[in-house]
Amino acid sequence: HDRTQAPHRSVRQFPWQFRRRRRSFLARMALGLRPRCLVLLSASLVGVWSQAPVATARKSVGCGKAHAGGLANGKSQTRTGTFNGIERSWRVFVPSSYDPNKPVPLVLSIHGWGGSGQEDERDGGLSLVAEKHGFVALFPDGMDDNDSWGGPWNGWNVVGSTLSPGPQGPTCAGWANSPTYCYESCQSAGRCNDKPQCQWTSCVPDVTPTGIGTEATGFLPQLLDLAERELCVDVTREYVTGQSNGGMATYQVGVSLAHRVAAIAPVAGSFHIGFVQVPKVPLPVMDIHGDRDRTVPGNDTTANNGWYYVKTGEILKGWAVSNGCSGVDTARPVYRTALDRVSGLSCVAHGRGSKCIPAVACSYSGVHTYFANDAAKNGKLVWEFLSRFSRPTHLGLGVSDSSR
């Protein structure tokens, strides 16, 4: 496949380039009240998870320190470092309002297959929102250890992307067999010998050693640790979002670091069949999908390139059970946002109940892009959801206190 046909890349809908209720709602938010679609937590869950205004900010170990690595307020800068013996790169955006003595939220935003942190910063809109609302944003770069024609191949080893065949068989159709999608790190590990050859990302540890599970020792967890050490971060408000393969990575970080992150918002992401996972502790999630996405479909199990995925409804049904919800098979209450009906956007929650923490599916009129194919709108929708939640039990550097 060339870059216009590669199966997991997002498409920016420009003609010259193809690549990879309102008033009542706003009034309640202005008064600091919970939207009606969110529910109060029971006493047993208070402290494990809460809406952001309820929790007190907790400073990271980086508070009080001068900027590291030449970082400056109001700018994005590229950084490099060694993680698990491999040199990695990422971008950091620090808002103009940043004060090294005042903890701010942190958002990790993850690009799609073949993309980069710089592209995700441009297309996902998180820097725009970070500047307005005063939080730090990280934009990491995926691994590119594939010399085959058609790159760049930057991607993320998550949700079973390098584990085919899995418990339910190959993760792609026979006709999708793609030997060139085997990365060097996978070849050196003796992988990619099955037919069809369905592995399509690097085998390096991005979140966990295998790409699934909860052993969070990879690049992205360590990057969060580094950000806490170098900047003044509110460790109760660390969030994750990403698009396409980055949306898959968002799901994986949510599962692997559920005790740490406060909420996630995957865009056009999923799990491969046989590898769907749910968090061990409640975690708010908003899945955002175009209703005509055929690259990583939210409403089908087979993509137009032959790879197999889990439907969004199945993912969120299991997630809602973990989130303490009842009626997960039938209850679909409307979940209101400030962007309802923009590009046909509508959102529903899965399940209900006094202990139910949001597991939300949002659909809009579109294909495999960021929400509405618009950076500002995507950033606004993502931050509106994420910013409502905090994780008071996270003490910092991935350490939690379940007694809180």
Side-chain angles (χ1 to χ4, degrees):
H1 297 271
D2 61 27
R3 277 188 61 81
T4 65
Q5 297 174 325
H8 304 277
R9 302 192 202 281
S10 58
V11 178
R12 298 190 68 217
Q13 290 185 296
F14 298 107
W16 61 87
Q17 181 186 26
F18 285 87
R19 289 204 354 219
R20 326 192 249 282
R21 237 145 44 215
R22 321 206 68 74
R23 179 177 300 176
S24 63
F25 171 84
L26 294 174
R28 289 177 66 81
M29 291 301 291
L31 291 172
L33 300 176
R34 293 173 175 84
R36 292 183 177 89
C37 50
L38 294 182
V39 296
L40 289 171
L41 300 178
S42 70
S44 63
L45 288 177
V46 170
V48 176
W49 169 98
S50 70
Q51 294 189 74
V54 176
T56 301
R58 181 175 295 118
K59 293 183 177 182
S60 70
V61 295
C63 290
K65 295 182 180 179
H67 282 312
L71 295 176
N73 288 17
K75 295 181 179 180
S76 295
Q77 291 184 263
T78 298
R79 304 285 306 282
T80 60
T82 302
F83 300 80
N84 303 104
I86 304 168
E87 184 170 317
R88 306 298 297 260
S89 59
W90 67 98
R91 289 176 67 80
V92 186
F93 177 81
V94 180
S96 300
S97 60
Y98 176 78
D99 181 334
N101 297 300
K102 297 180 180 179
V104 297
L106 172 67
V107 177
L108 175 66
S109 184
I110 311 172
H111 69 74
W113 194 60
S116 68
Q118 185 174 25
E119 291 176 348
D120 180 68
E121 181 178 12
R122 178 194 66 202
D123 298 342
L126 267 296
S127 284
L128 300 173
V129 184
E131 177 65 15
K132 181 178 180 179
H133 294 280
F135 62 84
V136 170
L138 304 177
F139 304 93
D141 295 316
M143 280 296 292
D144 187 26
D145 56 311
N146 189 330
D147 293 330
S148 299
W149 181 84
W153 297 87
N154 305 63
W156 306 100
N157 177 19
V158 291
V159 304
S161 63
T162 61
L163 296 176
S164 183
Q168 297 181 28
T171 57
C172 71
W175 57 267
N177 179 53
S178 300
T180 59
Y181 290 174
C182 186
Y183 287 59
E184 294 175 11
S185 52
C186 299
Q187 294 176 16
S188 63
R191 302 288 216 18
C192 309
N193 297 316
D194 295 284
K195 291 185 179 180
Q197 200 302 103
C198 303
Q199 301 187 48
W200 59 278
T201 69
S202 175
C203 284
V204 301
D206 284 316
V207 182
T208 70
T210 64
I212 61 172
T214 58
E215 188 182 342
T217 57
F219 169 48
L220 296 179
Q222 292 183 57
L223 185 59
L224 292 176
D225 287 349
L226 182 63
E228 286 189 21
R229 291 189 175 100
E230 293 188 340
L231 294 162
C232 191
V233 172
D234 179 356
V235 301
T236 72
R237 300 188 67 191
E238 296 180 0
Y239 309 107
V240 189
T241 187
Q243 194 264 349
S244 191
N245 184 210
M248 301 176 199
T250 299
Y251 268 125
Q252 190 62 60
V253 173
V255 170
S256 303
L257 293 174
H259 64 287
R260 177 176 190 161
V261 298
I264 65 171
V267 183
S270 187
F271 292 86
H272 281 298
I273 60 166
F275 295 102
V276 66
Q277 305 148 74
V278 297
K280 293 183 178 180
V281 296
L283 176 65
V285 56
M286 172 183 276
D287 181 289
I288 305 167
H289 249 99
D291 58 4
R292 302 189 308 281
D293 187 342
R294 298 301 306 149
T295 304
V296 184
N299 51 12
D300 200 352
T301 57
T302 306
N304 60 4
N305 50 62
W307 266 258
Y308 300 140
Y309 295 100
V310 182
K311 293 181 180 180
T312 300
E314 289 301 308
I315 297 172
L316 295 188
K317 184 166 67 173
W319 207 284
V321 172
S322 290
N323 280 5
C325 305
S326 60
V328 298
D329 292 314
T330 57
R332 297 292 182 271
V334 173
Y335 188 94
R336 299 294 185 189
T337 78
L339 287 115
D340 284 355
R341 296 189 292 277
V342 173
S343 294
L345 179 71
S346 63
C347 304
V348 296
H350 283 243
R352 63 174 79 243
S354 62
K355 298 180 181 180
C356 184
I357 293 169
V360 179
C362 292
S363 176
Y364 68 95
S365 178
V367 290
H368 191 64
T369 64
Y370 295 83
F371 168 61
N373 197 39
D374 184 290
K377 293 175 183 176
N378 182 81
K380 183 177 180 179
L381 178 62
V382 167
W383 179 243
E384 179 190 325
F385 180 77
L386 297 179
S387 62
R388 294 174 177 170
F389 311 112
S390 67
R391 178 75 68 181
T393 52
H394 182 224
L395 304 180
L397 301 175
V399 178
S400 296
D401 181 0
S402 59
S403 68
R404 291 178 180 266

